Short mmCIF file of all heavy atoms in Angstrom, two decimals:
data_model
loop_
_atom_site.label_atom_id
_atom_site.label_comp_id
_atom_site.label_asym_id
_atom_site.label_seq_id
_atom_site.Cartn_x
_atom_site.Cartn_y
_atom_site.Cartn_z
N GLY A 34 -47.50 -46.16 34.17
CA GLY A 34 -46.66 -47.27 34.61
C GLY A 34 -45.94 -46.92 35.89
O GLY A 34 -45.99 -45.79 36.38
N MET A 35 -45.28 -47.93 36.43
CA MET A 35 -44.51 -47.77 37.66
C MET A 35 -43.04 -47.76 37.27
O MET A 35 -42.53 -48.72 36.68
CB MET A 35 -44.82 -48.92 38.61
CG MET A 35 -44.22 -48.76 39.98
SD MET A 35 -44.97 -47.47 40.97
CE MET A 35 -46.50 -48.22 41.45
N LEU A 36 -42.34 -46.66 37.55
CA LEU A 36 -40.92 -46.53 37.25
C LEU A 36 -40.16 -46.30 38.54
O LEU A 36 -40.34 -45.24 39.18
CB LEU A 36 -40.67 -45.36 36.27
CG LEU A 36 -41.38 -45.45 34.93
CD1 LEU A 36 -41.24 -44.14 34.18
CD2 LEU A 36 -40.80 -46.57 34.11
N HIS A 37 -39.35 -47.26 38.93
CA HIS A 37 -38.56 -47.15 40.17
C HIS A 37 -39.43 -46.80 41.37
O HIS A 37 -39.07 -45.97 42.20
CB HIS A 37 -37.44 -46.13 40.01
CG HIS A 37 -36.46 -46.48 38.94
ND1 HIS A 37 -35.53 -47.48 39.07
CD2 HIS A 37 -36.29 -45.99 37.70
CE1 HIS A 37 -34.82 -47.57 37.97
NE2 HIS A 37 -35.27 -46.68 37.11
N GLY A 38 -40.61 -47.40 41.43
CA GLY A 38 -41.50 -47.18 42.56
C GLY A 38 -42.32 -45.91 42.48
O GLY A 38 -43.00 -45.54 43.44
N VAL A 39 -42.28 -45.23 41.36
CA VAL A 39 -43.02 -43.98 41.18
C VAL A 39 -44.07 -44.19 40.08
O VAL A 39 -43.74 -44.58 38.96
CB VAL A 39 -42.09 -42.81 40.78
CG1 VAL A 39 -42.87 -41.54 40.54
CG2 VAL A 39 -41.01 -42.61 41.84
N GLN A 40 -45.33 -43.92 40.41
CA GLN A 40 -46.39 -43.99 39.40
C GLN A 40 -46.18 -42.84 38.42
O GLN A 40 -46.04 -41.68 38.85
CB GLN A 40 -47.77 -43.90 40.06
CG GLN A 40 -48.92 -44.09 39.10
CD GLN A 40 -49.00 -45.50 38.53
OE1 GLN A 40 -48.66 -46.46 39.19
NE2 GLN A 40 -49.42 -45.61 37.29
N ALA A 41 -46.13 -43.14 37.13
CA ALA A 41 -45.81 -42.11 36.13
C ALA A 41 -46.77 -42.17 34.95
O ALA A 41 -47.40 -43.18 34.69
CB ALA A 41 -44.37 -42.30 35.65
N GLU A 42 -46.85 -41.04 34.25
CA GLU A 42 -47.66 -40.90 33.04
C GLU A 42 -46.75 -40.56 31.88
O GLU A 42 -45.78 -39.82 32.04
CB GLU A 42 -48.69 -39.79 33.23
CG GLU A 42 -49.63 -40.01 34.39
CD GLU A 42 -50.52 -38.81 34.68
OE1 GLU A 42 -50.21 -37.70 34.22
OE2 GLU A 42 -51.52 -39.00 35.38
N GLU A 43 -47.08 -41.10 30.70
CA GLU A 43 -46.24 -40.87 29.52
C GLU A 43 -46.77 -39.70 28.69
O GLU A 43 -47.97 -39.56 28.48
CB GLU A 43 -46.20 -42.12 28.65
CG GLU A 43 -45.31 -41.95 27.43
CD GLU A 43 -45.37 -43.14 26.48
OE1 GLU A 43 -46.45 -43.72 26.33
OE2 GLU A 43 -44.34 -43.44 25.88
N TYR A 44 -45.84 -38.89 28.24
CA TYR A 44 -46.11 -37.80 27.30
C TYR A 44 -45.24 -38.04 26.08
O TYR A 44 -44.15 -38.60 26.18
CB TYR A 44 -45.75 -36.45 27.91
CG TYR A 44 -46.64 -36.05 29.05
CD1 TYR A 44 -46.43 -36.56 30.33
CD2 TYR A 44 -47.69 -35.18 28.85
CE1 TYR A 44 -47.25 -36.20 31.38
CE2 TYR A 44 -48.52 -34.81 29.90
CZ TYR A 44 -48.29 -35.32 31.17
OH TYR A 44 -49.10 -34.97 32.20
N GLU A 45 -45.71 -37.64 24.93
CA GLU A 45 -44.93 -37.77 23.71
C GLU A 45 -44.74 -36.40 23.09
O GLU A 45 -45.70 -35.64 22.93
CB GLU A 45 -45.63 -38.70 22.73
CG GLU A 45 -44.82 -38.98 21.49
CD GLU A 45 -45.49 -40.01 20.60
OE1 GLU A 45 -46.38 -39.62 19.82
OE2 GLU A 45 -45.12 -41.19 20.71
N MET A 46 -43.50 -36.07 22.78
CA MET A 46 -43.19 -34.81 22.13
C MET A 46 -42.64 -35.13 20.75
O MET A 46 -41.70 -35.93 20.61
CB MET A 46 -42.16 -34.02 22.93
CG MET A 46 -41.86 -32.66 22.32
SD MET A 46 -40.77 -31.62 23.32
CE MET A 46 -39.26 -32.53 23.29
N VAL A 47 -43.24 -34.55 19.72
CA VAL A 47 -42.82 -34.77 18.34
C VAL A 47 -42.32 -33.46 17.78
O VAL A 47 -43.02 -32.45 17.82
CB VAL A 47 -43.98 -35.32 17.48
CG1 VAL A 47 -43.54 -35.51 16.04
CG2 VAL A 47 -44.53 -36.61 18.06
N MET A 48 -41.10 -33.47 17.29
CA MET A 48 -40.51 -32.28 16.69
C MET A 48 -40.16 -32.61 15.24
O MET A 48 -39.47 -33.58 14.98
CB MET A 48 -39.24 -31.86 17.44
CG MET A 48 -38.62 -30.59 16.87
SD MET A 48 -37.14 -30.06 17.76
CE MET A 48 -35.91 -31.10 17.00
N THR A 49 -40.68 -31.81 14.32
CA THR A 49 -40.32 -31.99 12.92
C THR A 49 -39.52 -30.77 12.47
O THR A 49 -39.78 -29.65 12.89
CB THR A 49 -41.56 -32.16 12.01
OG1 THR A 49 -42.43 -31.06 12.21
CG2 THR A 49 -42.29 -33.45 12.32
N MET A 50 -38.55 -31.03 11.63
CA MET A 50 -37.69 -29.98 11.10
C MET A 50 -37.71 -30.11 9.58
O MET A 50 -37.37 -31.17 9.05
CB MET A 50 -36.26 -30.15 11.64
CG MET A 50 -35.33 -29.05 11.18
SD MET A 50 -33.71 -29.13 11.99
CE MET A 50 -32.99 -30.51 11.14
N GLN A 51 -38.14 -29.09 8.91
CA GLN A 51 -38.22 -29.10 7.46
C GLN A 51 -37.17 -28.18 6.88
O GLN A 51 -37.03 -27.03 7.31
CB GLN A 51 -39.61 -28.69 6.99
CG GLN A 51 -40.68 -29.65 7.43
CD GLN A 51 -42.07 -29.17 7.03
OE1 GLN A 51 -42.26 -28.02 6.67
NE2 GLN A 51 -43.02 -30.07 7.11
N MET A 52 -36.43 -28.73 5.92
CA MET A 52 -35.41 -27.96 5.21
C MET A 52 -35.58 -28.24 3.72
O MET A 52 -35.97 -29.34 3.35
CB MET A 52 -34.01 -28.40 5.66
CG MET A 52 -33.73 -28.14 7.12
SD MET A 52 -32.14 -28.82 7.66
CE MET A 52 -30.99 -27.86 6.72
N PRO A 53 -35.29 -27.28 2.89
CA PRO A 53 -35.44 -27.49 1.44
C PRO A 53 -34.60 -28.66 0.93
O PRO A 53 -34.97 -29.31 -0.04
CB PRO A 53 -34.96 -26.18 0.82
CG PRO A 53 -35.09 -25.17 1.90
CD PRO A 53 -34.90 -25.90 3.19
N GLU A 54 -33.47 -28.97 1.60
CA GLU A 54 -32.59 -30.04 1.13
C GLU A 54 -33.15 -31.43 1.38
O GLU A 54 -32.73 -32.40 0.77
CB GLU A 54 -31.21 -29.94 1.82
CG GLU A 54 -30.45 -28.68 1.49
CD GLU A 54 -30.88 -27.51 2.35
OE1 GLU A 54 -31.40 -27.72 3.45
OE2 GLU A 54 -30.69 -26.37 1.90
N PHE A 55 -34.11 -31.56 2.34
CA PHE A 55 -34.68 -32.86 2.68
C PHE A 55 -36.10 -32.95 2.15
O PHE A 55 -36.86 -31.99 2.25
CB PHE A 55 -34.71 -33.05 4.21
CG PHE A 55 -33.34 -33.13 4.82
CD1 PHE A 55 -32.83 -32.05 5.52
CD2 PHE A 55 -32.59 -34.28 4.72
CE1 PHE A 55 -31.58 -32.11 6.10
CE2 PHE A 55 -31.34 -34.35 5.29
CZ PHE A 55 -30.82 -33.27 5.98
N PRO A 56 -36.49 -34.11 1.63
CA PRO A 56 -37.88 -34.26 1.17
C PRO A 56 -38.82 -34.28 2.38
O PRO A 56 -38.40 -34.60 3.49
CB PRO A 56 -37.87 -35.61 0.46
CG PRO A 56 -36.72 -36.35 1.03
CD PRO A 56 -35.71 -35.33 1.42
N PRO A 57 -40.09 -33.92 2.18
CA PRO A 57 -41.04 -33.95 3.30
C PRO A 57 -41.10 -35.34 3.92
O PRO A 57 -41.00 -36.32 3.19
CB PRO A 57 -42.37 -33.57 2.66
CG PRO A 57 -41.99 -32.82 1.43
CD PRO A 57 -40.68 -33.41 0.98
N PRO A 58 -41.24 -35.52 5.20
CA PRO A 58 -41.42 -34.48 6.21
C PRO A 58 -40.11 -33.94 6.75
O PRO A 58 -40.09 -33.32 7.81
CB PRO A 58 -42.16 -35.22 7.31
CG PRO A 58 -41.62 -36.61 7.25
CD PRO A 58 -41.35 -36.85 5.78
N GLY A 59 -39.00 -34.14 6.07
CA GLY A 59 -37.72 -33.66 6.57
C GLY A 59 -37.20 -34.59 7.65
O GLY A 59 -37.11 -35.78 7.45
N MET A 60 -36.90 -34.03 8.81
CA MET A 60 -36.45 -34.84 9.94
C MET A 60 -37.52 -34.82 11.01
O MET A 60 -38.14 -33.79 11.27
CB MET A 60 -35.15 -34.29 10.50
CG MET A 60 -34.02 -34.27 9.52
SD MET A 60 -32.62 -33.42 10.24
CE MET A 60 -31.48 -34.76 10.37
N LYS A 61 -37.72 -35.97 11.64
CA LYS A 61 -38.74 -36.08 12.69
C LYS A 61 -38.11 -36.72 13.92
O LYS A 61 -37.47 -37.76 13.82
CB LYS A 61 -39.90 -36.94 12.19
CG LYS A 61 -41.01 -37.11 13.17
CD LYS A 61 -42.12 -37.95 12.55
CE LYS A 61 -43.24 -38.18 13.51
NZ LYS A 61 -44.30 -39.01 12.89
N PHE A 62 -38.28 -36.07 15.06
CA PHE A 62 -37.77 -36.58 16.32
C PHE A 62 -38.96 -36.86 17.22
O PHE A 62 -39.85 -36.01 17.37
CB PHE A 62 -36.86 -35.55 17.00
CG PHE A 62 -35.68 -35.13 16.16
CD1 PHE A 62 -35.77 -34.02 15.34
CD2 PHE A 62 -34.50 -35.84 16.19
CE1 PHE A 62 -34.70 -33.62 14.56
CE2 PHE A 62 -33.42 -35.45 15.42
CZ PHE A 62 -33.52 -34.35 14.60
N VAL A 63 -38.99 -38.04 17.84
CA VAL A 63 -40.07 -38.39 18.75
C VAL A 63 -39.45 -38.71 20.10
O VAL A 63 -38.55 -39.54 20.20
CB VAL A 63 -40.87 -39.60 18.23
CG1 VAL A 63 -41.98 -39.96 19.19
CG2 VAL A 63 -41.44 -39.31 16.85
N PHE A 64 -39.93 -38.03 21.14
CA PHE A 64 -39.43 -38.23 22.50
C PHE A 64 -40.57 -38.75 23.36
O PHE A 64 -41.66 -38.17 23.36
CB PHE A 64 -38.92 -36.91 23.09
CG PHE A 64 -37.84 -36.25 22.29
CD1 PHE A 64 -38.16 -35.31 21.33
CD2 PHE A 64 -36.51 -36.57 22.49
CE1 PHE A 64 -37.18 -34.68 20.59
CE2 PHE A 64 -35.51 -35.94 21.75
CZ PHE A 64 -35.85 -35.00 20.80
N GLN A 65 -40.32 -39.84 24.08
CA GLN A 65 -41.28 -40.31 25.08
C GLN A 65 -40.77 -39.84 26.45
O GLN A 65 -39.64 -40.16 26.83
CB GLN A 65 -41.40 -41.83 25.08
CG GLN A 65 -42.37 -42.36 24.06
CD GLN A 65 -41.71 -42.69 22.74
OE1 GLN A 65 -40.51 -42.88 22.66
NE2 GLN A 65 -42.51 -42.75 21.69
N LEU A 66 -41.59 -39.08 27.14
CA LEU A 66 -41.22 -38.51 28.43
C LEU A 66 -42.16 -39.06 29.50
O LEU A 66 -43.37 -39.13 29.27
CB LEU A 66 -41.32 -36.98 28.39
CG LEU A 66 -40.59 -36.31 27.23
CD1 LEU A 66 -41.04 -34.88 27.07
CD2 LEU A 66 -39.10 -36.38 27.48
N TRP A 67 -41.61 -39.45 30.63
CA TRP A 67 -42.42 -39.95 31.74
C TRP A 67 -42.33 -38.97 32.89
O TRP A 67 -41.24 -38.63 33.34
CB TRP A 67 -41.93 -41.33 32.17
CG TRP A 67 -42.24 -42.38 31.15
CD1 TRP A 67 -41.51 -42.69 30.04
CD2 TRP A 67 -43.38 -43.24 31.13
NE1 TRP A 67 -42.12 -43.70 29.35
CE2 TRP A 67 -43.27 -44.06 29.99
CE3 TRP A 67 -44.47 -43.40 31.96
CZ2 TRP A 67 -44.22 -45.02 29.67
CZ3 TRP A 67 -45.42 -44.36 31.64
CH2 TRP A 67 -45.29 -45.16 30.51
N ASN A 68 -43.48 -38.50 33.37
CA ASN A 68 -43.56 -37.58 34.50
C ASN A 68 -44.28 -38.27 35.65
O ASN A 68 -45.23 -39.03 35.42
CB ASN A 68 -44.31 -36.31 34.14
CG ASN A 68 -43.56 -35.47 33.14
OD1 ASN A 68 -42.36 -35.60 32.99
ND2 ASN A 68 -44.28 -34.61 32.44
N ALA A 69 -43.87 -37.97 36.86
CA ALA A 69 -44.55 -38.51 38.03
C ALA A 69 -46.01 -38.04 38.02
O ALA A 69 -46.31 -36.90 37.69
CB ALA A 69 -43.86 -38.07 39.30
N SER A 70 -46.91 -38.94 38.39
CA SER A 70 -48.32 -38.58 38.50
C SER A 70 -48.49 -37.53 39.59
O SER A 70 -47.70 -37.48 40.54
CB SER A 70 -49.15 -39.83 38.84
OG SER A 70 -49.03 -40.78 37.80
N PRO A 71 -49.51 -36.69 39.50
CA PRO A 71 -49.66 -35.59 40.46
C PRO A 71 -49.66 -36.01 41.93
O PRO A 71 -49.07 -35.35 42.76
CB PRO A 71 -51.01 -34.97 40.07
CG PRO A 71 -51.18 -35.31 38.63
CD PRO A 71 -50.52 -36.65 38.45
N GLY A 72 -50.27 -37.11 42.28
CA GLY A 72 -50.33 -37.54 43.67
C GLY A 72 -49.01 -38.04 44.23
O GLY A 72 -48.84 -38.14 45.45
N GLU A 73 -48.08 -38.35 43.36
CA GLU A 73 -46.81 -38.92 43.81
C GLU A 73 -45.94 -37.90 44.53
O GLU A 73 -45.14 -38.25 45.38
CB GLU A 73 -46.03 -39.51 42.63
CG GLU A 73 -46.72 -40.71 41.99
CD GLU A 73 -46.79 -41.90 42.93
OE1 GLU A 73 -45.83 -42.67 42.99
OE2 GLU A 73 -47.82 -42.04 43.62
#
Side-chain angles (χ1 to χ4, degrees):
M35 188 70 75
L36 301 170
H37 299 286
V39 177
Q40 186 66 33
E42 301 172 342
E43 182 186 35
Y44 292 80
E45 185 175 83
M46 183 174 65
V47 179
M48 182 179 82
T49 55
M50 183 173 75
Q51 297 176 345
M52 297 174 65
E54 296 83 23
F55 294 104
M60 300 173 114
K61 181 178 178 180
F62 302 92
V63 180
F64 302 92
Q65 275 92 20
L66 308 165
W67 289 84
N68 293 339
S70 298
E73 294 295 275

